[in-house]
Each structure stands twice: as structure tokens, then as C-alpha cells.
Amino acid sequence: MTWSEMQPLLEQASWDTLYMVGWSTVIAVLLGLPLGILLVLTDRGGLLQNSVANKVIGQIVNIARSMPFIILMVALMGFTRWLTGTTIGREAAIVPLAIGAIPFFARLVETSVREVDSGLVEAVQSMGGSTWTVVRKVLVPESLPSMIAGVTTTIVTLIGYSAMAGTVGAGGLGDIAIRYGYQRFESGLMWITVAVLAVVISLIQFAGDFAARGLHRRGGRSGAAPKLRFLRDRTPAATEQAGTGRTGTEPELTKAS
């Protein structure tokens, strides 16, 4: 197969892969983000502590994550056909891709949110902040750099999933590698497909790492959150000293005998 024959196939397959992965990522973030935060809030000691709800949500997430993607696609064929009218093509592939990515991203969000300093949460609560305020002003801004890294990991994982989806007619680069590289013994096209996937993944990983580092340098916070750290240092003793004009580090003067 010549390059002039490969080029249109690779261009269309690359677009199909980006289309599937892009929409699946959007759906996974929109649904996985609140799910991951809810896992933290309903856990023991959380702001919305509810052991029953936490266990139910956790089990659903664990079951969905434990299922191999190729089996998940087959199990969801009926739902995919009901939702999209077909089980073949890139639109149909978005359904199992998104459903497979939602619990994966939810666990990454849960891990990121648990790393937030509990002192900030206590400070907002002491100031009368509601649960929604804590989530919006502290949990999400403070864990944003880690969440960006989680989104990057999710995208890379979805690219691998999309290649597997190509085995059942979803299209994309995986479909090209299977139909031409494996079934028609076009080894040159298969290796070019592998190279394209490697380049795409490298660019996405670089962009995600760059964004995460940028947020880390800026502090990864919403602006008002860092000021809350000073509230933890204002102990009753420090407050009493502030009224007398002394700081906690100033030595007390005594008269010489």
C-alpha cells in the first residue's frame, strides 16, 4: 500500500479517534467529578457522612472499574443500540467509552480531593460556609492541579480503549490497525498507526503535565483560599496578645530588681 493510499485512511481514523476520545472525556469529567467528590463527602468524617450511600456508590464504581473494557462493550450493546440506534461507528463507541471512564476518573478525583488540607475545610466551616461553599471554594480549587493530571491519565486510557473499540467496528486508528495491519498483513500501515498513537499520547501527556505544573506554580488555589491558612494560627492566646499590641513571638519585658 502506497502513502497516497494510506494518508486518507490515517487522516479519517485520527479524526474518528479524537472525536470518540474527546466526547468521552467530556462526559467522564462532567459525571465523574461530582461522583468522586460525593465519595469523599459521604465517607466517614465527611461533610455529608452517610455510610450506606458511600458503600453503594463505592461498590458500583468498583464493579464498573473491574470489568475489562472489551467485555463492557459487549455487555452494553443493548443499551448502546437503544441510545444511538446502532452498535457500530464512532457515536456508538462513545457510550461504552464514557461509561468505562466515569468510574475511573471518579477514583482519581477522590484521591485528589482527599489530599486537600483539612484545616482549610475547618476554617471555612468555622466561618459559616456551607458544604457547597467548601466544595466550590476549597476542595475543587485546591485539588485542581492533581485533577488536571487525572484528566490527562483518563484521556490516555481512553485512547487505548478506543483502539480496542476498533475491533468491533467503532472506527479510529485501532480499526485501521486491525483491518489493514492484521487482517490484510499491511505491516507498514500498522506501524505507522502505532507511531501516530504514540505521538498523540505524547502530545496530550506533555500538555497535561504543562497545565498541572502551571497550576502548581500559581498555588492551584482560587485566590481567597490561601488566606484561610492564617485562620488556623490565630489561637485564643494569639488573639488576646493582639489586643495588647504584642505578637506571639515577642518576649515579655520584666522590671529589673
Side-chain angles (χ1 to χ4, degrees):
M1 182 178 287
T2 64
W3 172 250
S4 60
E5 295 173 328
M6 295 180 186
Q7 186 176 1
L9 291 174
L10 290 171
E11 289 178 354
Q12 183 61 43
S14 299
W15 167 248
D16 289 344
T17 296
L18 293 176
Y19 180 87
M20 291 186 293
V21 172
W23 278 108
S24 301
T25 302
V26 171
I27 297 172
V29 170
L30 291 178
L31 299 181
L33 178 61
L35 187 62
I37 293 175
L38 193 60
L39 283 169
V40 177
L41 296 180
T42 58
D43 199 5
R44 181 181 300 176
L47 300 179
L48 301 175
Q49 180 175 334
N50 189 319
S51 58
V52 175
N54 184 265
K55 289 180 180 178
V56 170
I57 297 173
Q59 285 300 318
I60 294 174
V61 170
N62 291 337
I63 292 173
R65 287 185 61 203
S66 65
M67 188 175 298
F69 181 71
I70 192 70
I71 297 177
L72 181 65
M73 282 194 302
V74 176
L76 292 175
M77 278 188 174
F79 177 71
T80 302
R81 183 181 293 108
W82 172 79
L83 193 63
T84 64
T86 181
T87 57
I88 299 176
R90 60 185 190 180
E91 282 77 16
I94 292 174
V95 177
L97 283 172
I99 293 178
I102 288 171
F104 179 81
F105 183 66
R107 284 299 186 188
L108 294 178
V109 171
E110 180 189 11
T111 302
S112 300
V113 173
R114 288 190 187 280
E115 295 175 355
V116 176
D117 189 354
S118 60
L120 293 176
V121 176
E122 295 172 358
V124 173
Q125 286 183 300
S126 66
M127 296 168 62
S130 63
T131 300
W132 169 245
T133 302
V134 172
V135 172
R136 187 167 57 92
K137 294 293 187 179
V138 178
L139 296 183
V140 173
E142 289 288 315
S143 60
L144 191 56
S146 182
M147 284 187 188
I148 294 297
V151 171
T152 304
T153 303
T154 302
I155 294 174
V156 173
T157 302
L158 281 172
I159 292 176
Y161 285 174
S162 69
M164 285 188 282
T167 62
V168 293
L173 292 170
D175 179 55
I176 293 295
I178 293 296
R179 285 197 295 120
Y180 291 90
Y182 177 73
Q183 296 177 350
R184 301 185 186 182
F185 303 101
E186 295 285 350
S187 58
L189 180 58
M190 183 181 68
W191 285 113
I192 292 175
T193 302
V194 172
V196 171
L197 284 170
V199 170
V200 171
I201 289 175
S202 298
L203 290 175
I204 291 173
Q205 188 67 54
F206 174 79
D209 292 343
F210 180 81
R213 285 195 300 268
L215 287 172
H216 271 299
R217 285 195 295 268
R218 293 174 55 187
R221 302 179 179 91
S222 60
K227 298 178 181 178
L228 296 175
R229 295 187 180 277
F230 295 102
L231 295 176
R232 292 179 299 164
D233 299 328
R234 293 189 64 83
T235 59
T239 304
E240 182 179 354
Q241 291 173 349
T244 62
R246 298 199 311 270
T247 62
T249 57
E250 292 177 348
E252 184 178 357
L253 299 179
T254 59
K255 295 181 179 180
S257 56

